[in-house]
Amino acid sequence: MRAVVSGKMKNIGKIMAERIKELGYEVYYHEDEKVPLNEEELKCDVLVQMDMFKLNKPESFKNLKFVQALMVGTDDKPIEELRSMGVKYANLRGVFDKPIAEFVIMRILDIYKRIRVYESQQREKIWKKQFDLMEITDKRAVVLGTGHIGKETARLLKAFEAKVDGFSRSGKKTENFDNVFTMDFLNEKIGQYDIVVNALPLTDETYHVFNDDLFGNFKEKSVYINIGRGGTQSEEALYKALLGGRLMAAAVDVFEKEPLSKESPLLDLDNFYFSPHNSWGGDLNDQRTVDIVVKNLKAFINGEEPENIV
C-alpha cells in the first residue's frame, strides 16, 4: 500500500515517514507542498498532508482511499468531494486541545491581572500598585463549541472555580460543562456571562454570528476570547464593542483574512489583545501528531476504522 507523507511539518515529517514505513507502507516523502504531486505520488492509497489539495485536485488521485490531515479545521477542505469518491478523511482532533485551552486561560489572566500595565511600568521604571485586579473564581464563563477544545477549556476554567456553560448546535449535555444550550438561545443568554470563549468552527450558520446585535447583548465589561475561526466574528462589530466600552477586553487569535492587515483599527486599541493564529503552539504537539498519524495509518492498513473521521 502506497502512502505519500507531507514534509511541510519538517521537524516531524521524516519521523512520520519512517514510522509509517515500518507499518508496511511504500512511503513517498513529499518535501514541499507548494510543488504538485508527480504521477507516481498521485497513485497513492493514503495521503498524509497539511494543504495538498490547493495544488492537487481530488479527482487527480488514482487510488486514494484515506486522507490523514495534519490539522483540525476543515472549512476550506474538499470533504464532500472526497466523501463522494469513497475517500475517508481524518483530522488531528486531540492534538491542540491542551495548548489552546492553556492559551485561553493565559489571556483571561493577562486581562484580569493587568499584565499589560506591569509590562509598561517595567519599561518606564515605575513602581505603582494595582488595586483593581480580578479573579476567575466565581465568574460565569461560556464556551461556544463544546468539542475537544471546548471541553478542555471548560475543564481548566472549572479548575479556577468558574461556573461554565456551553453552546453547541445540538445542546447535548457534555462533560466539564454545568449546562449546554443550543445556539437558538445565544442572544437571549449571552448577557449572563463575564467571560465568552469562541471555539466555533466556521459554517454557513456560524458566519459572523458575533455581530453588532450579539455584542450589544454582552454583559457590560465582559471579556471575549476567540480561538475558533475568524469568520465567526465581524471585526467591525468587535471594534465598535471595544471602543464603546461594552467589552472590557478581547483577545483574538484568528481573523477573517490572515495575516491581519497592519491598517486594522483593532491594533490601535489598548483593550485588544492580538496573536497571529498561534494559540495552538505547544512543545508536545509533535509527539501527539506522530502518535495519532501512526495509530490511524496502522488501523487503516489492518482494515480497521481510523479515529477522527470527519
Side-chain angles (χ1 to χ4, degrees):
M1 193 171 288
R2 182 175 300 187
V4 170
V5 178
S6 168
K8 188 165 186 178
M9 299 174 73
K10 290 181 169 45
N11 49 338
I12 59 170
K14 290 184 178 179
I15 295 173
M16 284 192 296
E18 288 302 316
R19 293 280 303 277
I20 292 168
K21 189 180 296 183
E22 292 171 3
L23 297 174
Y25 287 91
E26 178 186 357
V27 176
Y28 290 75
Y29 182 67
H30 190 85
E31 191 161 355
D32 188 353
E33 287 196 1
K34 294 179 181 179
V35 177
L37 298 177
N38 61 40
E39 188 174 341
E40 287 301 308
E41 291 170 329
L42 286 169
K43 295 177 183 178
C44 66
D45 302 278
V46 173
L47 180 64
V48 180
Q49 57 90 43
M50 177 79 75
D51 211 10
M52 285 192 185
F53 291 109
K54 279 189 174 179
L55 294 180
N56 305 277
K57 295 180 179 180
E59 61 267 25
S60 300
F61 290 87
K62 313 302 180 185
N63 306 302
L64 190 61
K65 301 176 183 69
F66 176 55
V67 175
Q68 173 62 63
L70 296 174
M71 58 174 60
V72 177
T74 60
D75 42 274
D76 61 346
K77 303 300 180 287
I79 305 298
E80 291 303 322
E81 191 172 352
L82 290 168
R83 190 175 290 141
S84 70
M85 296 166 55
V87 178
K88 293 184 176 182
Y89 183 102
N91 66 12
L92 272 189
R93 189 167 61 243
V95 169
F96 308 113
D97 307 347
K98 291 184 183 298
I100 291 176
E102 288 181 4
F103 193 92
V104 171
I105 297 298
M106 178 273 292
R107 278 309 199 193
I108 296 169
L109 291 173
D110 196 1
I111 294 163
Y112 273 12
K113 304 304 181 183
R114 305 197 67 188
I115 302 304
R116 186 169 279 183
V117 173
Y118 295 130
E119 290 174 344
S120 175
Q121 289 180 358
Q122 179 178 340
R123 287 192 297 271
E124 297 174 19
K125 299 180 174 62
I126 293 173
W127 180 281
K128 183 179 179 182
K129 297 184 186 297
Q130 303 296 316
F131 296 101
D132 55 352
L133 306 185
M134 298 173 66
E135 302 175 26
I136 299 176
T137 305
D138 287 338
K139 296 298 185 294
R140 293 202 65 181
V142 65
V143 182
L144 282 77
T146 59
H148 283 64
I149 292 170
K151 284 189 285 191
E152 181 63 15
T153 300
R155 186 183 72 82
L156 294 187
L157 284 166
K158 297 286 279 187
F160 281 85
E161 300 183 21
K163 299 173 178 67
V164 187
D165 290 343
F167 280 88
S168 68
R169 187 169 56 183
S170 69
K172 182 180 178 182
K173 176 65 177 173
T174 306
E175 62 181 311
N176 303 333
F177 291 94
D178 295 312
N179 305 284
V180 179
F181 306 101
T182 66
M183 296 290 287
D184 297 333
F185 293 96
L186 184 57
N187 270 288
E188 174 187 331
K189 293 183 177 295
I190 198 70
Q192 302 175 9
Y193 301 106
D194 304 288
I195 299 166
V196 178
V197 180
N198 177 1
L200 290 171
L202 181 60
T203 66
D204 290 342
E205 291 75 24
T206 63
Y207 176 73
H208 280 195
V209 66
F210 285 88
N211 52 27
D212 285 326
D213 289 341
L214 188 60
F215 281 125
N217 288 330
F218 269 45
K219 184 177 182 178
E220 289 280 356
K221 302 303 179 183
S222 52
V223 169
Y224 169 72
I225 314 283
N226 187 0
I227 44 76
R229 283 291 180 266
T232 61
Q233 72 195 2
S234 162
E235 288 167 22
E236 181 180 356
L238 174 60
Y239 176 77
K240 288 188 286 186
L242 287 166
L243 192 65
R246 169 64 67 174
L247 298 178
M248 177 192 300
V252 179
D253 186 57
V254 289
F255 301 89
E256 193 160 359
K257 292 183 179 178
E258 296 183 352
L260 180 66
S261 170
K262 294 179 181 179
E263 307 304 315
S264 172
L266 288 168
L267 295 171
D268 296 321
L269 298 177
D270 290 337
N271 57 349
F272 175 71
Y273 292 70
F274 161 86
S275 53
H277 202 149
N278 205 194
S279 62
W280 53 269
D283 57 330
L284 300 179
N285 286 346
D286 287 355
Q287 185 57 56
R288 292 192 193 103
T289 296
V290 172
D291 289 346
I292 288 178
V293 170
V294 172
K295 182 178 181 180
N296 271 356
L297 265 68
K298 181 178 180 180
F300 185 78
I301 201 171
N302 290 333
E304 301 168 359
E305 183 78 353
E307 296 180 353
N308 296 347
I309 296 294
V310 176

